[in-house]
Amino acid sequence: MRLEHRRREPAPGVFRLVLPLPFPGLDRVNAYLLAGGIDTTLVDCGIYYPDEEDDHGWADVEAAIGACGMAVTDIKRLIVTHSHIDHYGMAATFVERAGCDLWMHDAVDDDLAAYRDPEGTRSRLRELFREHGVEPEEVDELVRFEDWRGFVSGLVEPDVKVSGSEEVEIGPRTWQFVYTPGHSRSHICLASLGDGLLISGDHLLPTITPHIDYRRGAEDDPLGDFLKSLDVVEKLDPRLVLPGHGRPFEEGAERARIVARHHDRRLGAILQIVRHEPHTADEITDQIFGTTLLNFERRLALGEALAHIRYLARRGEIVRTQRDDGTFVYQKASRRRRDEDD
Ligand SMILES: [Zn+2]
């Protein structure tokens, strides 16, 4: 066990479990225990540590649940907001030890494919980066991080797949699934409309914006999906947001607007860069995120820039052409002369 666990109850019968992560930039993830007798449910379950330490992180899961006065076997259902390692990593071990069902969104198969076939994922990403201007010798360094199997205890499939808008009764509350793709294609939130709670996974976080990645062959327009999902949450106007990282916070609608504005500004910055001459995604990434990133940061930055570029291209704001060497470049779409001169 690595953390001191205590009882945190942001709403009656809703417990926040804080679990450790082995990443310096992101060292905690939240899971939520929803008390409800035979319907007692855990939402997300933390990461699986690739080393033996504390039974791969299990000791923290057990202790965090114990601090709420419950045992693992009291949990009858595990809902996972999305398949990233910090939310899904321990799922296979958890459902086995708790003897419970796993619920996830029905698009999860696409997301789990990255664990099933890391080499395929890596080679697609290699090709994507190459044709977007990344130097061949850099590409291998960047795709190195694509194998995350060491951080999941197993590839467990959901017993129940939801599509969003289904309801589930847990204790005194009725929770509604809310489909919120963007950060991950199969991301779901859970809303208790009766008292304005929203378990937001990574979709809406208090101090950081979730990574929006573009991978060809997976999500077509992840930033478009994400912005739509922010609208959905803004309309829900939650009273208290229970996020996947950080502390619960109020004014969720305002936070959704702030995050949308952040992406608007980034889209504007890209339009500015490609206003007068074409640029590769690699060059756009350098201009937006700088040239001093570590490899892992730069891989994320490229994915993020590509998601924004994709968004603009799909809406006809920028056009893509191919150089003689096969590299794609992007330029602002020419409109009426007047527009160009403004
Ligand atoms: Zn996360």
Side-chain angles (χ1 to χ4, degrees), residues 40 77 79 92 114 116 123 125 164 171 205 208 219 231 251 290 323:
T40 295
R77 180 193 292 125
I79 297 173
R116 274 192 216 102
S123 73
L125 198 64
L205 298 168
I208 51 174
E219 291 130 309
D231 274 350
E251 299 187 34
R323 283 180 183 157

Side-chain angles (χ1 to χ4, degrees), residues 265-291:
R265 278 195 298 275
R266 184 157 286 165
L267 291 167
I270 292 175
L271 284 175
Q272 220 29 57
I273 292 166
V274 299
R275 191 177 164 87
H276 296 300
E277 55 183 41
H279 286 284
T280 64
D282 182 66
E283 292 162 352
I284 293 168
T285 303
D286 281 352
Q287 291 206 35
I288 291 185
F289 296 97
T291 54

Side-chain angles (χ1 to χ4, degrees), residues 103-265:
W103 293 37
M104 293 181 83
H105 187 265
D106 64 13
V108 74
D109 281 347
D110 296 320
D111 289 337
L112 293 180
Y115 299 123
R116 274 192 216 102
D117 179 22
E119 201 34 64
T121 306
R122 206 181 258 153
S123 73
R124 280 190 295 280
L125 198 64
R126 199 179 277 131
E127 199 189 326
L128 178 73
F129 286 170
R130 257 194 220 131
E131 67 190 20
H132 281 92
V134 180
E135 294 295 329
E137 54 276 15
E138 198 196 349
V139 168
D140 283 328
E141 279 301 305
L142 297 182
V143 303
R144 206 157 50 85
F145 308 99
E146 292 310 303
D147 189 349
W148 296 104
R149 284 174 302 181
F151 295 94
V152 294
S153 61
L155 269 184
V156 62
E157 307 264 342
D159 302 287
V160 178
K161 290 183 180 175
V162 298
S163 58
S165 79
E166 292 96 337
E167 291 182 347
V168 58
E169 310 248 330
I170 302 167
R173 293 185 183 82
T174 301
W175 292 89
Q176 189 180 77
F177 289 96
V178 185
Y179 182 39
T180 46
H183 174 60
S184 152
R185 191 174 192 173
S186 60
H187 195 290
I188 44 172
C189 297
L190 278 165
S192 166
L193 303 181
D195 58 354
L197 303 181
L198 180 77
I199 298 177
S200 67
D202 279 356
H203 178 55
L204 195 66
L205 298 168
T207 55
I208 51 174
T209 61
H211 175 53
I212 309 298
D213 196 21
Y214 174 70
R215 292 160 181 266
R216 187 181 37 194
E219 291 130 309
D220 212 16
D221 181 21
L223 181 61
D225 292 344
F226 179 66
L227 294 175
K228 264 187 243 156
S229 300
L230 282 178
D231 274 350
V232 170
V233 163
E234 190 191 336
K235 290 199 180 80
L236 281 177
D237 194 16
R239 180 182 62 79
L240 185 67
V241 179
L242 307 167
H245 303 273
R247 292 203 175 89
F249 59 98
E250 296 175 353
E251 299 187 34
E254 177 58 12
R255 180 66 190 152
R257 285 190 288 274
I258 289 168
V259 174
R261 279 201 293 275
H262 157 82
H263 289 286
D264 261 352
R265 278 195 298 275

